[in-house]
Amino acid sequence: MTQAATQYTGSTGSATIVAAQQKNQQKVAAATIAAYQRAVPGAAVGYRAYADAGLLQFAGVIAVRAQYAGLTSGPVPDPAHQGLAVAQQQVKIFGDVQCSVSQSRPTPTGTPVDPALDLTTMCQRTGPGLTVQVYGTGFKGAAGQQQLVMLTNAGWASVTG
């Protein structure tokens, strides 16, 4: 059992878990803000982490007072050459929001693409003087994708509104 797992099994139960999570999130926030400030010197940066009530979905929202380039997913493969219906990693656009979407299982050419296999891991909205990025865990299928898009737009609205 790891030290962290041992820490969580103590007699104080959930209070220990909450305290450990709060301490960890403080470290994550400081490291995230520092990394973005190194990437964009002089830009104001904000970070917040959120989870749903069941702790099945997590989202880290990062706001940077700078315009970023649009999303890319590295080399863009030819899915047909690989015998696939769609690339396993792609950028999808939803209005002003771009999202990095992965297929959790390859879809062979000639097979219908199942949107339930989409895992949306990050969305970004950028414009003059502002970028909002939302990194998500547990955002599956079309419904999860739309949730992450809505969170990105909500983050944008909270900074610009």
Side-chain angles (χ1 to χ4, degrees):
M1 187 178 301
T2 67
Q3 182 179 7
T6 303
Q7 178 180 347
Y8 295 148
T9 59
S11 61
T12 57
S14 62
T16 302
I17 294 170
V18 169
Q21 285 292 1
Q22 287 173 334
K23 186 175 180 180
N24 181 59
Q25 279 304 311
Q26 289 171 352
K27 288 181 183 177
V28 168
T32 300
I33 290 169
Y36 275 78
Q37 287 174 332
R38 278 192 305 275
V40 188
V45 179
Y47 169 78
R48 294 285 185 271
Y50 302 93
D52 68 351
L55 300 179
L56 299 174
Q57 292 178 312
F58 298 89
V61 180
I62 302 161
V64 181
R65 286 282 180 196
Q67 184 169 355
Y68 276 39
L71 289 183
T72 60
S73 63
V76 180
D78 175 8
H81 178 74
Q82 298 174 329
L84 300 175
V86 295
Q88 280 194 266
Q89 182 72 30
Q90 53 191 305
V91 173
K92 293 187 176 182
I93 300 171
F94 305 93
D96 294 324
V97 177
Q98 299 175 320
C99 297
S100 178
V101 180
S102 300
Q103 286 279 298
S104 61
R105 192 171 55 227
T107 303
T109 301
T111 304
V113 176
D114 183 356
L117 298 177
D118 283 352
L119 297 173
T120 305
T121 56
M122 187 268 204
C123 291
Q124 171 180 287
R125 182 169 174 179
T126 191
L130 179 64
T131 299
V132 172
Q133 296 177 334
V134 180
Y135 289 83
T137 302
F139 292 87
K140 300 175 185 174
Q145 198 168 74
Q146 287 306 304
Q147 284 179 307
L148 209 55
V149 169
M150 288 183 348
L151 286 171
T152 304
N153 281 324
W156 180 272
S158 73
V159 176
T160 60

Short mmCIF file of all heavy atoms in Angstrom, two decimals, residues 31 33-41 45:
data_model
loop_
_atom_site.label_atom_id
_atom_site.label_comp_id
_atom_site.label_asym_id
_atom_site.label_seq_id
_atom_site.Cartn_x
_atom_site.Cartn_y
_atom_site.Cartn_z
N ALA A 31 1.72 25.19 -8.82
CA ALA A 31 2.56 24.70 -9.92
C ALA A 31 1.96 25.04 -11.28
O ALA A 31 2.67 25.40 -12.22
CB ALA A 31 2.75 23.19 -9.79
N ILE A 33 -0.16 27.59 -12.05
CA ILE A 33 -0.03 29.03 -12.29
C ILE A 33 1.41 29.39 -12.65
O ILE A 33 1.65 30.14 -13.61
CB ILE A 33 -0.54 29.82 -11.07
CG1 ILE A 33 -2.07 29.68 -10.98
CG2 ILE A 33 -0.14 31.29 -11.15
CD1 ILE A 33 -2.67 30.17 -9.69
N ALA A 34 2.37 28.82 -11.94
CA ALA A 34 3.78 29.10 -12.24
C ALA A 34 4.15 28.64 -13.64
O ALA A 34 4.86 29.35 -14.37
CB ALA A 34 4.68 28.43 -11.20
N ALA A 35 3.67 27.47 -14.05
CA ALA A 35 3.99 26.95 -15.39
C ALA A 35 3.41 27.86 -16.48
O ALA A 35 4.08 28.16 -17.48
CB ALA A 35 3.45 25.53 -15.55
N TYR A 36 2.18 28.31 -16.30
CA TYR A 36 1.57 29.19 -17.30
C TYR A 36 2.23 30.57 -17.31
O TYR A 36 2.36 31.19 -18.36
CB TYR A 36 0.06 29.29 -17.08
CG TYR A 36 -0.68 28.16 -17.74
CD1 TYR A 36 -0.73 26.90 -17.16
CD2 TYR A 36 -1.31 28.33 -18.97
CE1 TYR A 36 -1.39 25.84 -17.78
CE2 TYR A 36 -1.97 27.29 -19.60
CZ TYR A 36 -2.00 26.05 -19.00
OH TYR A 36 -2.64 25.00 -19.61
N GLN A 37 2.67 31.04 -16.16
CA GLN A 37 3.36 32.34 -16.11
C GLN A 37 4.73 32.24 -16.78
O GLN A 37 5.17 33.20 -17.40
CB GLN A 37 3.46 32.84 -14.67
CG GLN A 37 2.12 33.33 -14.16
CD GLN A 37 2.14 33.70 -12.69
OE1 GLN A 37 2.91 33.17 -11.90
NE2 GLN A 37 1.25 34.60 -12.32
N ARG A 38 5.38 31.08 -16.70
CA ARG A 38 6.64 30.89 -17.43
C ARG A 38 6.38 30.85 -18.94
O ARG A 38 7.16 31.37 -19.72
CB ARG A 38 7.33 29.59 -17.00
CG ARG A 38 8.13 29.69 -15.73
CD ARG A 38 9.01 28.48 -15.49
NE ARG A 38 8.28 27.21 -15.51
CZ ARG A 38 7.64 26.68 -14.46
NH1 ARG A 38 7.61 27.30 -13.31
NH2 ARG A 38 7.03 25.52 -14.58
N ALA A 39 5.28 30.22 -19.32
CA ALA A 39 4.94 30.09 -20.75
C ALA A 39 4.54 31.43 -21.36
O ALA A 39 4.81 31.68 -22.54
CB ALA A 39 3.83 29.07 -20.94
N VAL A 40 3.89 32.28 -20.57
CA VAL A 40 3.42 33.57 -21.06
C VAL A 40 3.84 34.63 -20.02
O VAL A 40 3.03 35.07 -19.21
CB VAL A 40 1.89 33.59 -21.27
CG1 VAL A 40 1.46 34.88 -21.94
CG2 VAL A 40 1.42 32.39 -22.07
N PRO A 41 5.11 35.03 -20.07
CA PRO A 41 5.60 35.99 -19.06
C PRO A 41 4.76 37.27 -19.04
O PRO A 41 4.40 37.82 -20.07
CB PRO A 41 7.03 36.28 -19.54
CG PRO A 41 7.42 35.08 -20.33
CD PRO A 41 6.15 34.63 -21.01
N VAL A 45 -2.73 34.87 -14.56
CA VAL A 45 -3.18 33.49 -14.70
C VAL A 45 -4.04 33.13 -13.49
O VAL A 45 -3.70 33.48 -12.36
CB VAL A 45 -1.99 32.51 -14.76
CG1 VAL A 45 -2.47 31.06 -14.87
CG2 VAL A 45 -1.06 32.85 -15.92
#
